[in-house]
Amino acid sequence: MVQTLRIAAREKSFYDPAVRAVRTQLRTAYEAFLLQDYHGAQDKQAEQCLWKTTMYAVIEEFRRRIKIALAGGDDTKDNYLKARKACLLFLNEASLFYALLVLKLQAAYGSVGFQLDFADQAALDAALGSALLPPRVATLDCRISVYRCLICLGDLASAEGACGDGFGLSEVLVTGCRYYTLIEGGLNKKDWSKAEKYYLQAVSVFPEGGNSFNQLAVLATYSDAALPAVYFYYRSLAVAHPFQVARENLLLLFEQNRVHYEQLAGSAGQGTGGGSGGRATAGRGRGRNRDPAQQQQKPRIPIAALLPKLSIRFVRVHGVLPSLKAAHTLSPWLPDILCSC
């Protein structure tokens, strides 16, 4: 059936009704495999194949077409609006599919002690009214499958949250295969709360998995929250089942932070140089004879204004510590960081 989908996609548009019908059949087949032969499905990596063939390929094609439509300007505005609308519809349908799969897995193999908090509960209730939950097949620990479904729900919500006026490119590794989230500038203005909610639910189901922590770190970087991102990347690598790509992401974050720190240190050095001369002159001359009541303390800087600089410096500490030269590299500017605290 996978081969049938590939042939159909080559001969027709990826969103042609005939291609979509084959994709739905393949999705149903993977779902049935998971619900009838759990161990066999795990051996064949059914969940990863389900995501890659029926979700990832479609998201990637939407990304490509929307990017082309945006490059065309006003002449292709209608194409962009149509592609964006179809993309959002697909993301909603895919999210509903995974939400139902979470419920079906627990019906077939036993509860994992978790109640799904789905964003569109009304749509889920309506879908449950027309779709029967499967009977109990066996009592098995299906936490890892529920966990992966929640990761996919978070990834779909992340793509939906980024589906704004335009799309950029941000590569993320999800459930064993790479896909491109639809990300562009102004990310900190977008709402990632839905995606965050699903990733946190994944943590509650399978806290020993590293993928969910990596995805939380990625969300933090979208909002320029480097310090929480470092924390989540560490968590991703420190669990029983670490997500190894988190190490690459962490090193990239440290490199980006190094550039920000050098810029911060350079601007601070320029400000200190000019300020120290002015303070020295005031101390030797006019400032000594000034009425103490007229001498005012330097204005207090709001904490909110200090936090970004403190975060840059603190992340820099973490970036240097893994180095063998950490002790020698850290000592020159550690007092500066401690003073900022």
Side-chain angles (χ1 to χ4, degrees), residues 47-296:
E47 292 141 344
Q48 292 89 331
C49 294
L50 167 65
W51 170 264
K52 185 175 181 179
T53 57
T54 67
M55 307 295 174
Y56 156 71
V58 182
I59 293 174
E60 172 63 7
E61 185 62 24
F62 271 126
R63 183 202 65 81
R64 188 185 70 83
R65 293 188 176 221
I66 291 175
K67 187 176 181 180
I68 293 174
L70 283 173
D74 293 338
D75 295 337
T76 56
K77 184 177 180 180
D78 289 342
N79 292 339
Y80 161 70
L81 293 175
K82 290 178 181 178
R84 181 178 180 272
K85 181 179 179 180
C87 181
L88 288 172
L89 178 62
F90 171 79
L91 293 173
N92 289 333
E93 291 175 348
S95 297
L96 185 59
F97 168 80
Y98 275 108
L100 285 170
L101 185 55
V102 166
L103 300 180
K104 291 177 180 179
L105 282 166
Q106 294 183 86
Y109 301 115
S111 172
V112 297
F114 152 83
Q115 185 174 358
L116 176 65
D117 182 10
F118 188 57
D120 191 350
Q121 191 61 43
L124 182 59
D125 292 340
L128 283 173
S130 58
L132 296 176
L133 293 178
R136 175 66 62 87
V137 176
T139 301
L140 299 172
D141 183 4
C142 63
R143 289 186 307 146
I144 187 64
S145 294
V146 173
Y147 172 79
R148 288 169 179 158
C149 288
L150 290 168
I151 295 292
C152 291
L153 278 169
D155 294 338
L156 293 167
S158 179
E160 180 185 351
C163 191
D165 294 332
F167 295 86
L169 193 60
S170 177
E171 189 175 357
V172 183
L173 190 78
V174 180
T175 58
C177 60
R178 291 190 182 275
Y179 90 111
Y180 298 89
T181 55
L182 313 178
I183 302 299
E184 200 186 347
L187 297 177
N188 54 356
K189 297 180 181 179
K190 298 183 183 296
D191 183 11
W192 308 108
S193 59
K194 187 191 296 187
E196 181 184 35
K197 179 182 68 175
Y198 290 132
Y199 294 142
L200 290 174
Q201 290 181 65
V203 170
S204 68
V205 170
F206 193 64
E208 53 266 55
N211 195 349
S212 51
F213 290 113
N214 178 81
Q215 300 307 94
L216 285 167
V218 171
L219 286 186
T221 62
Y222 292 164
S223 302
D224 295 326
L227 196 53
V230 170
Y231 166 77
F232 285 123
Y233 281 138
Y234 279 158
R235 289 290 302 271
S236 180
L237 294 168
V239 291
H241 300 277
F243 192 68
Q244 296 300 336
V245 176
R247 183 179 184 278
E248 301 174 21
N249 294 338
L250 184 60
L251 292 176
L252 176 61
L253 178 63
F254 284 154
E255 178 59 25
Q256 294 170 343
N257 170 261
R258 180 188 65 79
V259 175
H260 294 157
Y261 175 78
E262 290 175 352
Q263 294 173 348
L264 179 63
S267 61
Q270 293 174 2
T272 302
S276 61
R279 286 193 298 270
T281 302
R284 291 192 300 269
R286 295 186 302 274
R288 184 180 301 171
N289 299 324
R290 186 179 300 169
D291 189 330
Q294 298 177 354
Q295 295 182 358
Q296 300 179 354

